[in-house]
Amino acid sequence: MKKQGLHFKMLLSALAASCFAIAPIASAVPLLINGGFELGFTGWTVTDQAGSGGTWLIQSGTGSPINGFPVQPPPEGNFAAMTDQVNGPGTHILYQDFIVPTGTIGSATGSFQLYLNNQADDYFTPPTLDYTAIENQQFRADIITTSADVFSVAPGDVLQNLYITMPGDPLEAGYFLVPANLTALFQAHQGETLRLRFAEVDNQFFFNAGVDAVSIDATADNGNGNGNDVPEPASLALLLIGLAGVAAMRRRGACNIAASTPAA
């Protein structure tokens, strides 16, 4: 009987250890809405520099929204956001504001799918989004403050650059994934409202920039560095099976003891 009790305690200890070893999975909180543009520009704001000859539009299929230039189809769902021009150069902004969570942030990430179709000879990326100033043919994505002018690229306004075209880059590319680690940014700006901005400038020739599958996610950390301690379903199933086995052993041990006890 002592041996059976010892085996039972050892099994419980093993199960407890396996329970603590269950790999947690992070519960990411999405901070943007309509990142796939399946609801048009719901949640987004489009603005263009005064006098611009184009804008951001919803695109589907394999033609650009205004000119019908051959482009790649949206990589997610039926729609993407894309710039197009019809009557001259311009600067085109697409943005969405979001609130950084408060508390202990374990990690924060952003990503989007990007398509570029630059029909000029090269990219020109001066530190301005003004299409009237100098040669300017660029796309960039930034996290900026909401107090900044939406056309600003000043260091104090741009909190983190996520992507920028550079001279010599492929003129046509995509759709391709652009990932970003936002953990340090979020940890420094908890509770603040920030702005994700996509900017396209064209004063050399036609330029289609497309974005789709846009996401920004934050994961809480309970202090152990693993994010939220949510056991994986498979691990939970194994734990339940083990507990069922313990219960069966207890019943079997009780039956064996009862069977071996002499009748009074």
Side-chain angles (χ1 to χ4, degrees):
M1 183 173 178
K2 289 182 179 180
K3 185 179 293 187
Q4 289 174 337
L6 179 60
H7 288 170
F8 176 69
K9 290 179 180 179
M10 291 174 61
L11 183 55
L12 278 181
S13 298
L15 282 172
S18 66
C19 182
F20 282 112
I22 291 174
I25 57 176
S27 179
V29 178
L31 303 179
L32 298 180
I33 65 171
N34 190 31
F37 301 98
E38 298 304 296
L39 301 176
F41 283 124
T42 298
W44 297 90
T45 300
V46 175
T47 186
D48 305 291
Q49 185 178 345
S52 295
T55 191
W56 285 92
L57 301 132
I58 298 298
Q59 183 268 340
S60 62
T62 56
S64 66
I66 295 176
N67 294 301
F69 294 134
V71 297
Q72 293 295 317
E76 178 181 282
N78 298 314
F79 302 102
M82 182 174 287
T83 59
D84 209 352
Q85 309 81 37
V86 66
N87 58 349
T91 299
H92 318 298
I93 304 293
L94 173 67
Y95 70 86
Q96 183 172 153
D97 295 348
F98 61 92
I99 300 175
V100 178
T102 57
T104 305
I105 297 174
S107 64
T109 59
S111 66
F112 60 94
Q113 293 281 343
L114 175 62
Y115 172 74
L116 300 170
N117 180 31
N118 178 14
Q119 298 185 41
D121 293 334
D122 203 352
Y123 292 101
F124 299 87
T125 311
T128 177
L129 295 178
D130 184 355
Y131 77 91
T132 68
I134 53 179
E135 291 180 324
N136 206 340
Q137 189 90 353
Q138 64 172 300
F139 170 87
R140 62 181 294 156
D142 305 284
I143 304 291
I144 66 174
T145 66
T146 55
S147 61
D149 186 297
V150 75
F151 295 97
S152 174
V153 293
D157 295 333
V158 177
L159 301 176
Q160 185 169 334
N161 174 254
L162 309 183
Y163 184 87
I164 187 168
T165 51
M166 297 299 291
D169 284 352
L171 298 178
E172 183 174 8
Y175 279 90
F176 59 93
L177 180 67
V178 179
N181 186 336
L182 306 177
T183 304
L185 176 69
F186 275 33
Q187 290 173 343
H189 294 273
Q190 293 189 40
E192 297 182 25
T193 300
L194 304 182
R195 176 168 292 165
L196 171 64
R197 176 189 66 188
F198 298 114
E200 182 266 292
V201 188
D202 54 88
N203 68 7
Q204 299 300 295
F205 206 47
F206 294 107
F207 186 7
N208 303 120
V211 294
D212 198 8
V214 186
S215 69
I216 292 179
D217 304 295
T219 301
D221 192 333
N222 64 2
N224 63 9
N226 290 324
N228 291 335
D229 284 348
V230 182
E232 296 177 357
S235 299
L236 280 176
L238 288 174
L239 179 60
L240 291 174
I241 292 171
L243 291 175
V246 170
M249 287 185 64
R250 290 281 286 179
R251 287 195 300 270
R252 184 167 60 251
C255 291
N256 290 340
I257 292 171
S260 61
T261 301

